[in-house]
Amino acid sequence: MYFSRFSVTLRFQREVTSIRKKNKRVCFVLLSFFRNFAGMKQIDYKGLTDAEVLESRQRHGANVLSEPEKVPLWRRFLYKFKDPLIIILLVAGVLSVGISFYEYFVLKEGATVFFEPVGIFIAILLATGMAFLFEVKADKEFAILNQVNDEEPVMVIRNGRRQQVPKCDVVVGDIVLINTGDEIPADGLLLEAVSMSIDESTLTGEPVCHKSVEERDFDPEATFPTNKVLRGTKVMEGHGIFKVDAVGDSTENGKVYEAARIDDSVKTPLNEQLDRLGQLIAKVSYGIAVLVIIGRVLMFFVYQDFEWVAFISYLLQTIMIAVTLIVVAVPEGLPMAVTLSLAYSMRRMLKTNNLVRKMHACETMGAATVICTDKTGTLTQNQMHVYEACFDMDRQDNRSLVFQGIAVNTTASLQIEEGRQPTVLGNPTEGALLLWLHEQGIDYRAMKEEVTYEDELPFSTERKLMAVIVKTDKGRMLYVKGAPEIVYTQCVMTVDDRSEVQRRLLAFQEQGMRTLGFAYQQLDDTEKPIVNQRLVTEKMTFLGVVAISDPVRSDVPPAVRECMDAGIAVKIVTGDTAATAREIARQVGLWTEEDTDRQLMTGPEFAALSDEELLGRVMDLKVIARARPMDKKRLVVALQSLGQVVAVTGDGTNDAPALKAAHVGLSMGDGTSVAKEASDITIIDNSFSSIGRAVMWGRSLYRNIQRFILFQMTVNIAACLIVLAGAFMGTEVPLTVTQMLWVNLIMDTFAAMALSSLPPSSSVMKEKPRDRRSFIISRDMAWQVIGVGCAFFVFLLCLLYHYERQGWSLYEQSMFFTIFVMLQFWNMFNARAYATGGSALNLKGCRGFLLIAQLVFFGQLLIVTIGGRMFNVTPLHWSDWLLIIGATSFVLWIGEVWRWMKK
């Protein structure tokens, strides 16, 4: 048997809360005893029988959120092969295999002909394998961060008696008992509620929602009904009983989780750019290959007599040259460069408190043009604090009254542990007052022990105040706390004093703060100011007003300013009131004096807009208040339809659909498991400033990828033109297969490592976001690639002509091979300096680049010295090495002069 609605004194609530932490069962025994003692009417709550529990679970399901279907590891690995550049590499690899078989079986060449296809497939496996392994490792780290406990005990009534069951065993129809600090295990309707406040910030953004079963207390503007409790929310104050009406996926929490699992398949800007680059490379290489075939066939008919055997042999040779051209044109190192850049950023970003789960999210943050952020816990500390206390503290007796009035008239408490900040237990607004006392050096617990409680008046939304009568060493005292406009009407005050209080209240309320008024009255032995649960006195003395707010994190205003200076629009979406949201926007530097109502909208107003009206308004919006979970997602989709790259931050379950729909979803480290599961990046330290660092990393990463493209495309153009010239001049390609393997794979891989390891530059935060429609190869890059590539080709062609006239030997081939590699070596330094506006020799913080540059140089020295027949080389004289290094270094010096002239 369980008992009906009851009235518990504040002191009893505190004792029960304390005991509850140690033993829930003892807590409820005490509550039952106290209710019997109070002589209240009893209601027989029998709850479900065991058979009804099984039937309910069979009909409505278990109280767990369905896990998204896990993609098998093998399928996740194969997904990496959908990258357009990998597809081109696969095609080139297959064609290269065909060439190798022809050369081995028909032309009777050695097994070294298979080095090229093997090298290409190694490049493919390295690029796809590294990306796969890094994401799997990040998922394991995320799984540890995002563990969910469905086994937490919940007190229910079944078979007419109380019992504890795991949260996952709660079913529809269960009668559940909840108390301060409990997390609501399922959705349901309240049967009883005593002084109950619930933190619904995970679903609505509202940290304190008063709950009641009395119709007069119902709030028509509340996001969810006043008598409704929701899974995943938390009881901040009071206690009650509710009947479960939805479990698992059917709860509001579950519906949001389901929406968050919908894959909107939003393509990242980098994917779009690499798609375009892959299409360009494919079209150009295939087009040139076709032209080579046509050109050589025409040359055959012009310069030779037609014979079928000779023609077929010539045609096969031509096809081999065309295929070789395609293989040379494909940038084997580019997938590796992208993977290494993303992986390097992924690991380094973890050190700046950004746990990246999806590699492409690293770069996408750099392309972000809009950040949609929630307020509570992201911009603010998610802990109420006293903003200003307006008391007359100059008089000692007044100070004592203020401190005692706050200490004894509260339902909250502080958990104080040595070496740690105090934690609020109970109502966060009342907790803020206790924190303020703690900061003043006042022990509120000692003050409570010094008084004896006589009577009290609990807070209700109807009265909007709470009162307590205590016996102190100064006699009987009445302390009252509540809405200032209610409290001061029952105080003895002058007109001027009341006007001053009203002026201060207006100033605080315009800033979206919560305000509380305090009063006291010294009572004689016969006075009874509390009668029939009403405060009947009008002789109180007004003590003052306190303004309470959830303060903005100290690092947020500069972080918001950094994002805005970087050309990124910031929009706040919150379930809080319009006044509070506007004030927070003002404090973080987002709201200015020029802003009007056009920059602010409430959730109902937002929902009433048609899609066309929304598109015309969305870019002007800075704040959406009283927002529901799907409002944020609709905002994201609208921004994306206008070509914006959208990043979303959030910590609550209500943020999950928007986190999933955004180009990049950023969840907070202490956010809900649903929010973290829907995100791409988890900000471990919950700091908005980490978002600015993520943007800086993303922009720098994109630059590093551009630098590698600049480097590799220059190599490829020079190599393609040499192959093309040889095809029409009738000469052999001056570089052997193994030499091209070193150039195209080993050296390019080292270059990818060198350029991807370049540190981020804060200067990128002074630029505007790039246009996502602009090609990854900018006009300036294209001119450099074509200009430098053609210059290399002309130089190498002249060199080839010179060596041919002198007599081509193994030594000359070793010279030609080394000169080709050293041209690319010095060009790597030029690529590193791209878009820096400085010298290529400014290598501060580039230890990784210098190390890899040394590996490339000494690798070439080693190959030429001991490579022998495998690489078709012979050792060079030290004087020739000095000549080559000095002559090819002009590539760097010409680049330095060019950068100096552009300044």
Side-chain angles (χ1 to χ4, degrees), residues 455-457 467 469 478 528-536:
D455 200 0
E456 60 194 78
L457 187 64
I469 299 174
L478 167 68
K528 294 185 177 180
I530 300 176
V531 179
N532 296 326
Q533 295 294 293
R534 291 179 58 216
L535 187 67
V536 295

Side-chain angles (χ1 to χ4, degrees), residues 777-791:
I777 300 178
S778 65
R779 184 185 296 271
D780 184 43
M781 285 176 63
W783 280 114
Q784 286 193 52
V785 167
I786 295 170
V788 176
C790 290

Side-chain angles (χ1 to χ4, degrees), residues 462-617:
E462 183 182 17
R463 284 188 295 269
K464 294 186 178 180
L465 57 78
M466 60 191 295
V468 64
I469 299 174
V470 294
K471 284 185 178 179
T472 72
D473 54 0
K474 296 179 181 179
R476 297 174 70 229
M477 300 292 295
L478 167 68
Y479 290 110
V480 177
K481 171 181 69 184
E485 61 273 16
I486 302 295
V487 173
Y488 67 56
T489 57
Q490 296 180 260
C491 295
V492 178
M493 298 178 71
T494 65
V495 175
D496 290 342
D497 287 343
R498 185 165 297 186
S499 298
E500 175 62 19
V501 170
Q502 290 172 340
R503 184 189 65 78
R504 289 196 174 190
L505 285 177
L506 182 62
F508 291 139
Q509 288 163 359
E510 284 177 348
Q511 297 178 51
M513 296 185 186
R514 297 179 184 181
T515 53
L516 287 173
F518 296 81
Y520 80 98
Q521 181 180 340
Q522 188 153 6
L523 306 174
D524 59 32
D525 293 339
T526 59
E527 286 182 290
K528 294 185 177 180
I530 300 176
V531 179
N532 296 326
Q533 295 294 293
R534 291 179 58 216
L535 187 67
V536 295
T537 182
E538 292 186 352
K539 300 178 182 178
M540 294 189 297
T541 301
F542 194 73
L543 283 170
V545 174
V546 166
I548 296 173
S549 68
D550 181 5
V552 168
R553 293 175 180 268
S554 59
D555 60 340
V556 167
V560 170
R561 172 51 53 194
E562 181 183 38
C563 290
M564 292 170 65
D565 289 343
I568 302 171
V570 179
K571 301 181 186 295
I572 298 175
V573 187
T574 177
D576 223 323
T577 64
T580 301
R582 183 193 291 112
E583 174 57 20
I584 294 298
R586 186 193 66 78
Q587 289 183 29
V588 302
L590 180 60
W591 192 272
T592 65
E593 294 180 357
E594 289 76 25
D595 290 322
T596 64
D597 288 342
R598 183 169 177 78
Q599 278 69 49
L600 185 145
M601 185 179 287
T602 63
E605 293 169 343
F606 183 83
L609 292 178
S610 66
D611 290 341
E612 292 75 16
E613 291 171 331
L614 177 58
L615 291 178
R617 180 85 181 271

Side-chain angles (χ1 to χ4, degrees), residues 301-322:
F301 284 108
V302 171
Y303 295 108
Q304 297 186 34
D305 295 329
F306 181 80
E307 289 183 10
W308 275 109
V309 175
F311 175 72
I312 291 173
S313 176
Y314 184 83
L315 183 61
L316 285 174
Q317 185 185 17
T318 300
I319 291 172
M320 291 302 105
I321 291 172

Side-chain angles (χ1 to χ4, degrees), residues 24 66 97 102 106-107 122 126 160 196 209 233 247 272 386 459 482 493 497 520 615 703 841 890:
K24 282 192 173 184
S66 300
V97 168
Y102 173 78
V106 178
L107 302 180
I122 288 174
L126 282 174
M196 182 175 284
C209 296
T233 59
V247 294
E272 293 175 347
V386 172
F459 179 87
M493 298 178 71
D497 287 343
Y520 80 98
L615 291 178
R703 278 284 167 75
L841 300 176
F890 273 95

